[in-house]
Every structure is written in structure tokens, then in C-alpha cells.
Amino acid sequence: SLVSFALLCLFAGQAWGDFAIVQYNMPLCSVVAPENPSIQEEYAVEELLHFVEKFTGVELPERSDSQPLPEGNVILIGTTDSNKYIREVYSRGLVSREKDLDEEESVIKVISDGDHEFLMVAGGQNGGIIYGVYALVEEMIRSIKNRSPVDLDFHVYQVDSLVVGMI
């Protein structure tokens, strides 16, 4: 589809390191979203949590960015304007910021600050964050099924561990 092609173009050349989400039916990370999420950010978080639970049977803990970072791996969702931890990642130079994201663009990066491993899904103000989460879900399906998803209507058996790797 056109959306899949657009996502492929946006993520071509981006490398992700391995990031453990669930291992042996235990969550290895938390999702940190903006304290006051936009409708798109709220939906993106709901979709991510839904698919992780569908694929593993595990509910990931969720926190707002107004709380201290939790122990373990952290999935950051939002924009530089809405999520203070995403803003910190950029301000500390952990991710280079060549330009502001367009409304429907997103960036997905695995980074470390020495204390935490982050999987950052940052998006533009409109649908970018949703597109970023769906790209991450596609990577989860690739990790589980060892093939690229054509659509999300096929069955994915639950697994006890979920790690997304290099694209």
C-alpha cells in the first residue's frame, strides 16, 4: 500500500539496535508517554500496548513523563514538545536532530544513556507518531514470524519473549 511504501522510504537506512521488550512472559520495559498526550499520542500508546499484549500476553507498564524514569528499558513515545524525556534525548546529543519532523514523519531509535536503554518513537504533530508505532509493530511481527507483514489480519501466535532487532 501507499502508506507501507511511505514508511519504507522514511525508515530506509535507519538502524536499530536490539531492544528487549518482553522476556519469558515478563515485561522488560515500560512505556513513557506525555503527561498530557494529544489524541494521536494517546492512540499510538494504546495501539502499542494492544499489540504487545496480543503478541505476548504481557501488559507493559505505562508512566507519564511527569514521573521519574522507571528501572529497565524504556519506550519513549511522543514529540520533542510533548515528552520531556524525548526532549532530553535530543538536548543531550544522544540523537542528532537535523530538522524538525514534518507532521507525518517519525524517528525510531534505540539509544543508551548509560543508565537506561531507550526505544524512542518520536513523531511529527499529526500522524507521525502513529506511523512510527505501526512501523515498530511491523518490526515486532518480523521478529516473531521472521517475515515481513503484508497486513495485520494474519494470526501471530503468542510468544514468551519479544525483542526487536536491526532492520
Side-chain angles (χ1 to χ4, degrees), residues 33-49 62 77-78 129-130 133:
E35 181 176 26
N36 298 306
S38 68
I39 293 169
Q40 292 87 356
E41 290 166 328
E42 193 172 317
Y43 182 72
V45 170
E46 287 172 8
E47 286 292 274
L48 176 63
L49 295 174
E62 182 184 356
I77 294 184
I129 192 64
I130 296 170
V133 164

Side-chain angles (χ1 to χ4, degrees), residues 34-162:
E35 181 176 26
N36 298 306
S38 68
I39 293 169
Q40 292 87 356
E41 290 166 328
E42 193 172 317
Y43 182 72
V45 170
E46 287 172 8
E47 286 292 274
L48 176 63
L49 295 174
H50 164 78
F51 281 106
V52 169
E53 186 172 2
K54 180 177 181 175
F55 297 158
T56 66
V58 174
E59 286 185 45
L60 294 181
E62 182 184 356
R63 287 190 172 191
S64 88
D65 67 338
S66 65
Q67 299 172 301
L69 283 173
E71 296 293 319
N73 293 346
V74 178
I75 299 175
L76 299 174
I77 294 184
T79 68
T80 54
D81 293 333
S82 67
N83 189 316
K84 77 176 187 181
Y85 293 115
I86 290 176
R87 201 167 32 255
E88 266 184 39
V89 162
Y90 280 108
S91 69
R92 291 175 57 197
L94 297 173
V95 174
S96 64
R97 184 173 174 175
E98 297 170 11
K99 66 176 186 73
D100 286 337
L101 295 174
D102 290 335
E103 290 184 352
E104 300 203 356
E105 285 183 310
S106 58
V107 172
I108 302 174
K109 296 275 186 183
V110 173
I111 49 181
S112 175
D113 71 354
D115 295 325
H116 292 89
E117 293 288 319
F118 297 104
L119 173 55
M120 182 182 78
V121 183
Q125 296 296 327
N126 263 347
I129 192 64
I130 296 170
Y131 296 146
V133 164
Y134 283 142
L136 177 57
V137 168
E138 286 186 6
E139 183 59 25
M140 290 176 189
I141 293 169
R142 268 188 214 92
S143 171
I144 295 167
K145 300 288 278 184
N146 202 22
R147 68 175 191 209
S148 179
V150 175
D151 66 37
L152 294 177
D153 291 335
F154 66 87
H155 184 72
V156 176
Y157 293 99
Q158 281 192 356
V159 294
D160 66 356
S161 299
L162 180 59

Side-chain angles (χ1 to χ4, degrees), residues 1-16:
S1 77
L2 184 58
V3 171
S4 296
F5 178 74
L7 286 173
L8 178 63
C9 291
L10 283 174
F11 295 108
Q14 278 190 308
W16 298 354

Side-chain angles (χ1 to χ4, degrees), residues 12-31:
Q14 278 190 308
W16 298 354
D18 286 346
F19 185 87
I21 298 171
V22 172
Q23 189 170 37
Y24 306 119
N25 296 313
M26 297 295 296
L28 291 184
C29 69
S30 299
V31 176

